[in-house]
Amino acid sequence: MRVSLCAIVRNEAHQLGRCLASVAPHVDEMVVVDTGSTDHTVAIAQGFNARVYEFAWCDDFAAARNAALAHVTGDWVLVVDADEELVVVNPAWQQVLAQTAPMVLALNREEVGLPNFVGGFHPRLFWHGPGVHYEGRYHEQLRYPEPVPVQPWADVRLKHHGNADPEAVRRKTLTRDIPILETMRRENTLSLWLLDCLARNYDRTEQWEQADDCYQEAYGRLAPHLQSGEPPTDLFWVGTVLQALSERAIAAADWETARLCLSQGLRWCPNFPPLAFWAGIWLREVGLPLGAIAYFQQALVWGMTGHYSRQEAFDPAYLQLHPACALGETHEQLGQWDQARAAWQQALAADPTWEPAQVAIARLEG
């Protein structure tokens, strides 16, 4: 049983060494495809005895991944990007892998410099079976001719440094990510998931009108389903988009749109904590605080039991900090001081430095 690293790189001299040093002791070959570096990236890869190939970048991540896959000879393929490190949790992971049936293994990924989201998956270790390939210009997806099992795997994980430098992230967003996604939009190949990615890229680069336009398009795609009650064929990322649409509608006091997004969203994605939280906010804002309390409490119960959906990644604050704060505010509105104090204390248990909770407890005890 042989394991191959498969990586695509471009101008990664500042971090490729860290990546390859973490991987090299654990794989049988390293295949690196360079997509047009003008720095010392290629020399660094060669210094780790990687087999380096050239590929002309064409704004298509799947094309570059497939070019790299074409040179892989191992039985299993490990995909690690230049801004990531491989972290070995189980030193015997290769022996475990040798006894694993052909499948796709989803690895945990730790974010450096950002909160680690709950849920989501990173299918980065997979059987090198016939016909395996990638599809999609952006956030490329692994495909097999026939369905292959996908399961979480904790024997190794990834550490992601790519968001540690905000200015570098901004440059990449403006010069690479948004142009690729807009090309896909013109080609009518932008999924609801990637439309949300485009909207968030516009948000993080302060292009508010463009972000609003993306979310209006997302609502237009979902509107027939929201009005009929018939769920979309593919529910992936629908919960996250409906969360974003609900949040924006509540901010605009568009109560009917928020109600529609939240009611159908909770029917289709009933265990998705962000939707439950925003349903509570909506109920409180329209004057139904007791109903709001039930939703905030449900989110807290999910946080304690772990019985919630992990298909889509979300901020873990939706499992304790956010609902505890909202619960504290709501109990205060109702004059329920003991319950409010207990809720604010839950918020502080989640984040002892959270100033709104500190201020609230000082106010209640003053």
Side-chain angles (χ1 to χ4, degrees), residues 65-104:
R65 295 280 187 206
N66 290 332
L69 269 179
H71 298 289
V72 165
T73 65
D75 305 297
W76 289 83
V77 181
L78 173 66
V79 174
V80 183
D81 290 334
D83 60 1
E84 296 172 333
E85 289 179 81
L86 181 70
V87 178
V88 173
V89 178
N90 177 11
W93 71 274
Q94 289 166 310
Q95 292 92 316
V96 175
L97 190 64
Q99 300 172 14
T100 302
M103 64 174 63
V104 176

Side-chain angles (χ1 to χ4, degrees), residues 35-77:
T35 62
S37 293
T38 56
D39 60 6
H40 300 296
T41 294
V42 170
I44 291 170
Q46 291 171 336
F48 280 88
N49 295 319
R51 302 209 321 271
V52 181
Y53 302 90
E54 301 294 328
F55 179 80
W57 178 245
C58 56
D59 285 344
D60 189 328
F61 280 94
R65 295 280 187 206
N66 290 332
L69 269 179
H71 298 289
V72 165
T73 65
D75 305 297
W76 289 83
V77 181

Side-chain angles (χ1 to χ4, degrees), residues 303-343:
M304 290 185 286
T305 63
H307 297 157
Y308 53 84
S309 172
R310 292 172 171 79
Q311 183 180 9
E312 299 174 21
F314 64 91
D315 189 334
Y318 281 110
L319 293 170
Q320 188 172 8
L321 181 62
H322 291 341
C325 288
L327 197 57
E329 293 167 349
T330 308
H331 281 306
E332 284 198 60
Q333 288 178 6
L334 294 171
Q336 298 171 341
W337 312 119
D338 289 341
Q339 294 95 321
R341 186 180 297 105

